[in-house]
Amino acid sequence: MASRAVTELENTKDCSQAGKALFCPSHPTEELRLFCEQCDQPVCQNCVIDRHRQHLYDFTGNVIRRHGDSLREVLKNTQEHMDTLKDVLSQIDDKGSAIHSRAEAVATEISLFASGYVKAIEEHRDRLLKQLEDLKVQKENLLHLQKARLQQLLLDMKTGVEFTERLLTSGSDLEILITKGAVASRLAKLNSIAYNTRPSVDDGIQFCPKKRAGQCGGYEVFGVVLNKAVDPSRCTLHGEGLHSACQNQLASFTLLCNDFMGERMVRGGEAVQVTIIHKDKRDCAVKPTVCDNNDGTYHISYSPEEAGLYACCVFVKGQHVQGSPFTLTVKTKFREHQGVFHCCTFCSSGGQKAARCACGGTMPGGYQGCGHGYGHKGHPGCPHWSCCGQLKKSSECLGGPPSDLSQKSLLRTVTL
């Protein structure tokens, strides 16, 4: 009934009858003068007698103030929500405009960035191609120069050989004896001329697209042209674990890659392969670990489980490096040091004259042990083991002290 009343009110609000009496829909001849509190709706006198008999009701004039105030409060809240919604809608419109403007500005930035980036890449490309062309011309010039020199040398040798052959086949004994010295000297001089047995330059030109190439036009670019190529015959091996190791202990050595001129490579990425196989037990092999240091060096580590002699091969690009294959000796047990690692016997013994050291050094003034840079032969001021003179703290003991050392002096040095 409330919705119907609202509809009727909406339909009559602009008419002249809007302020006149309203009649009950159920009793058309009765005017709506009462208000049922329980049903919250206007009723007529007949409704109160009939359907609303037990309901609490009152005249509309008596309840209009209370219900009007309640409606005005709801109206006020609704108007506040409307104002909030209008403000949000306004903010949405403003934010939409801001997003549109910002998107256009960012699109401009992206276009400028992309244009600059493309320009920087093109400049970097041109620079790389120029560098490559200069490198190609440089290598070709060196080859041409070497070729010209070798061709001249070959021509001189050919002339000398032909002359010598004619002399030996057609010359008289006297002519041979007269010209022998000059001819032999000429040939010897030609033979003594030093020349490379291979081309003076290589074709080791490479492009590394992932390598950083610095800045170009304010942008970081990638890709460099490398001139060097590794030469396995020039690569070298270094380290304590190269020829000896101990059973069940980690050992290592280092591979240094060089180019055909013997100059150090400054990048990694080479195909390095290492095999370590027992010489007496062919089925016994050690699996080494190869670590690329990305600077032209490779760290090879291994841990042999059995003692004996091993054949160690190191390959770069499928070729043996310098010194490969080599023999690796694996000892059964690591010999521990029995002495102390000290700088000198003078310090470790507290200044005792009779204290000695296995390094054999002595000190002026009647001191039987080594001192700070005095008679410290082979160990000038360096820390070393008192039992064998080894300079490295993590080294294996090489043996006991010299035989002329008394047991008393040795014990004193060791315990201190």
Side-chain angles (χ1 to χ4, degrees):
M1 184 148 183
S3 61
R4 182 175 177 182
V6 171
T7 303
E8 291 180 353
L9 182 61
E10 288 287 338
N11 294 333
T12 60
K13 63 181 180 179
D14 293 331
C15 301
S16 59
Q17 295 180 354
K20 293 185 178 182
L22 294 177
F23 293 89
C24 178
S26 301
H27 309 92
T29 60
E30 295 293 330
E31 187 177 351
L32 295 173
R33 294 182 177 182
L34 302 174
F35 186 81
C36 179
E37 294 288 353
Q38 182 172 338
C39 297
D40 194 30
Q41 66 181 47
V43 293
C44 68
Q45 194 170 13
N46 289 342
C47 289
V48 171
I49 298 173
D50 187 10
R51 290 181 300 169
H52 301 271
R53 180 178 302 174
Q54 302 296 328
H55 295 178
L56 180 65
Y57 64 92
D58 199 352
F59 287 101
T60 56
N62 296 334
V63 300
I64 185 61
R65 181 177 180 84
R66 175 165 52 83
H67 287 279
D69 290 344
S70 175
L71 183 60
R72 276 186 286 272
E73 183 65 26
V74 175
L75 174 64
K76 180 181 178 183
N77 292 335
T78 304
Q79 290 173 335
E80 291 177 352
H81 283 104
M82 288 178 62
D83 293 338
T84 301
L85 288 174
K86 289 178 182 178
D87 183 55
V88 173
L89 289 172
S90 178
Q91 292 181 25
I92 290 176
D93 292 337
D94 294 342
K95 187 61 67 176
S97 300
I99 290 174
H100 181 75
S101 301
R102 185 56 187 157
E104 289 184 343
V106 172
T108 302
E109 292 179 8
I110 292 174
S111 298
L112 291 175
F113 171 80
S115 299
Y117 206 173
V118 170
K119 183 178 179 181
I121 292 176
E122 290 176 345
E123 290 180 0
H124 183 53
R125 175 202 61 196
D126 296 340
R127 186 170 61 185
L128 288 175
L129 293 175
K130 177 66 167 56
Q131 181 182 353
L132 178 61
E133 180 64 22
D134 293 343
L135 183 58
K136 183 194 73 169
V137 171
Q138 178 186 5
K139 286 179 176 289
E140 289 176 344
N141 289 340
L142 289 174
L143 286 177
H144 290 159
L145 179 61
Q146 183 187 20
K147 183 177 180 180
R149 290 175 178 173
L150 293 180
Q151 286 176 335
Q152 183 60 49
L153 178 60
L154 181 60
L155 180 60
D156 293 342
M157 285 184 173
K158 182 179 180 182
T159 302
V161 168
E162 291 176 349
F163 178 83
T164 305
E165 288 177 343
R166 286 198 306 270
L167 177 64
L168 293 174
T169 57
S170 305
S172 63
D173 295 344
L174 185 58
E175 289 175 336
I176 293 176
L177 293 174
I178 292 175
T179 58
K180 175 187 73 70
V183 172
S185 176
R186 173 62 176 167
L187 293 179
K189 184 177 181 180
L190 291 174
N191 292 334
S192 65
I193 296 177
Y195 58 90
N196 290 333
T197 58
R198 65 180 68 185
S200 59
V201 295
D202 57 53
D203 60 349
I205 303 175
Q206 294 183 350
F207 175 64
C208 295
K210 295 183 180 181
K211 194 174 183 64
R212 295 179 183 272
Q215 296 265 330
C216 183
Y219 295 86
E220 185 176 10
V221 292
F222 293 81
V224 296
V225 175
L226 299 176
N227 180 21
K228 293 186 175 184
V230 67
D231 185 351
S233 65
R234 298 274 185 167
C235 298
T236 58
L237 299 167
H238 306 271
E240 294 182 0
L242 192 58
H243 296 291
S244 63
C246 291
Q247 187 178 5
N248 295 320
Q249 289 197 5
L250 188 66
S252 64
F253 57 90
T254 302
L255 167 66
L256 270 64
C257 288
N258 301 313
D259 62 8
F260 80 105
M261 293 292 291
E263 295 181 356
R264 168 85 169 274
M265 300 291 292
V266 294
R267 56 176 170 81
E270 303 296 346
V272 178
Q273 182 182 3
V274 181
T275 61
I276 304 176
I277 302 176
H278 201 290
K279 286 190 173 183
D280 297 328
K281 304 176 182 178
R282 307 305 294 181
D283 58 339
C284 178
V286 179
K287 187 176 181 180
T289 300
V290 180
C291 178
D292 187 350
N293 297 323
N294 294 314
D295 60 357
T297 65
Y298 297 80
H299 182 77
I300 295 99
S301 57
Y302 61 96
S303 180
E305 295 182 356
E306 293 195 25
L309 297 179
Y310 288 78
C312 184
C313 300
V314 181
F315 303 91
V316 174
K317 292 184 176 179
Q319 302 179 40
H320 283 283
V321 302
Q322 189 179 138
S324 176
F326 57 88
T327 300
L328 172 63
T329 303
V330 177
K331 301 178 182 179
T332 305
K333 187 178 180 181
F334 186 82
R335 189 172 182 182
E336 301 289 344
H337 288 282
Q338 300 301 314
V340 292
F341 192 72
H342 61 180
C343 64
C344 69
T345 314
F346 180 81
C347 290
S348 61
S349 67
Q352 296 184 30
K353 289 188 175 183
R356 298 189 181 187
C357 184
C359 71
T362 59
M363 195 168 59
Y367 289 91
Q368 301 300 310
C370 59
H372 290 288
Y374 285 94
H376 198 175
K377 185 178 181 181
H379 308 277
C382 295
H384 57 282
W385 284 101
S386 63
C387 52
C388 64
Q390 279 277 63
L391 296 179
K392 290 189 176 181
K393 190 172 184 179
S394 59
S395 62
E396 182 182 12
C397 187
L398 297 180
S403 58
D404 60 340
L405 293 182
S406 66
Q407 186 69 19
K408 182 178 180 181
S409 298
L410 174 62
L411 291 176
R412 182 187 296 113
T413 302
V414 170
T415 53
L416 289 173

